[in-house]
Structures are given as C-alpha cells and as structure tokens.
C-alpha cells in the first residue's frame, strides 16, 4: 500500500452496503411512492445513489420482516417487458403512518450522510 492508494480510495470510495435496519427504511421510502418488486428496489438504489448498494440477502430479509410485521403485503403481477410475473410489494392501508415515519428515517440518514461527505470533501480541498 502507498499513500496514493489511500487518496485514491477516498476520491472514489466503494459503495456502502445497507444493513437490514437501513434496508427496511429504504424499502418503505420507495413503497410510499408506489408498489415495487425486489430487483427494481435494488436497481432504484443503484440508480439514485452511487454511494449505496443493497444485497439480495439483506433486501429479502427486510421484505420478510416487513411482511411478518404486517407493514407490507406481497402479490404476484405480470410486469410489462418482463418474462415471468414478479412478486410486487405494497404498504398495507393501515400501516401508512408507520411506513411514512420509517421512510423519513431513511431520508434523514441519506441527507446526513450526504452532508458528511460534502464536508469531508471541503476539508480535503
């Protein structure tokens, strides 16, 4: 390792993989906007943020948790342009308030993280 390697790392750090707690809040932040399926949830995160990633294992663990808690429900739907039907997820009607509260935690988290990364870039300049 050289000092150049350290500087290169901080110029383009690897993405951060969400843990289950963050994944639950992220999933709800997406689902308050509309129904979605697993692969789409992963792709949305990658498209919306270069800083974060979500593994299949953590995603499906978060979805299972949310279903068991009665916050979301899954159903099968044929998605245009896709081969087989997809398992879609939506927020249960009576869980909307809870879902919004948790989705706000995700929004606060990414705003705080963005603020920290911007302040660390200013400190390097």
């Amino acid at each position: 390792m050289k000092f150049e390697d350290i500087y290169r790392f901080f110029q383009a750090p690897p993405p951060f993989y969400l843990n289950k707690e963050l994944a639950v809040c992220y999933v709800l932040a997406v689902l308050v906007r509309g129904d979605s399926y697993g692969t789409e949830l992963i792709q949305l995160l990658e498209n919306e943020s270069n800083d974060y990633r979500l593994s299949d294992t953590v995603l499906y663990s978060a979805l299972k948790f949310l279903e068991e808690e009665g916050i979301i429900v899954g159903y099968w739907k044929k998605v245009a342009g896709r081969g087989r039907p997809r398992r879609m997820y939506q927020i249960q009607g009576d869980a909307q308030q809870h879902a919004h509260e948790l989705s706000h935690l995700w929004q606060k988290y990414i705003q705080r993280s963005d603020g920290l990364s911007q302040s660390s870039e200013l400190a390097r300049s």
Side-chain angles (χ1 to χ4, degrees):
M1 179 170 75
K2 299 176 183 176
F3 283 111
E4 293 170 12
D5 298 328
I6 297 169
Y7 288 113
R8 222 176 285 125
F9 174 87
F10 283 97
Q11 288 172 350
F16 173 77
Y17 277 83
L18 302 185
N19 59 25
K20 186 176 175 181
E21 293 82 0
L22 287 171
V24 164
C25 295
Y26 163 71
V27 165
L28 292 173
V30 173
L31 294 181
V32 296
R33 296 185 268 167
D35 298 1
S36 190
Y37 57 95
T39 308
E40 184 178 49
L41 290 164
I42 291 172
Q43 290 170 345
L44 282 171
L45 183 63
E46 290 179 10
N47 292 338
E48 292 174 359
S49 174
N50 291 329
D51 298 333
Y52 303 105
R53 294 291 180 271
L54 182 56
S55 72
D56 292 348
T57 305
V58 172
L59 171 64
Y60 288 104
S61 175
L63 290 169
K64 182 179 179 190
F65 168 79
L66 288 167
E67 279 189 297
E68 288 173 352
E69 292 297 314
I71 304 296
I72 65 172
V73 64
Y75 64 94
W76 291 98
K77 179 181 177 184
K78 176 79 170 109
V79 178
R82 301 290 181 184
R84 59 182 178 78
R86 304 291 178 184
R87 179 88 172 149
M88 302 293 291
Y89 298 94
Q90 69 181 167
I91 298 171
Q92 293 273 36
D94 59 346
Q96 290 289 335
Q97 180 63 33
H98 200 60
H100 280 280
E101 290 171 7
L102 291 171
S103 71
H104 285 300
L105 292 176
W106 168 253
Q107 296 301 327
K108 285 182 187 177
Y109 178 83
I110 59 172
Q111 287 170 354
R112 186 176 67 232
S113 295
D114 288 346
L116 288 175
S117 66
Q118 288 174 2
S119 62
S120 67
E121 283 183 29
L122 289 174
R124 283 190 303 222
S125 332

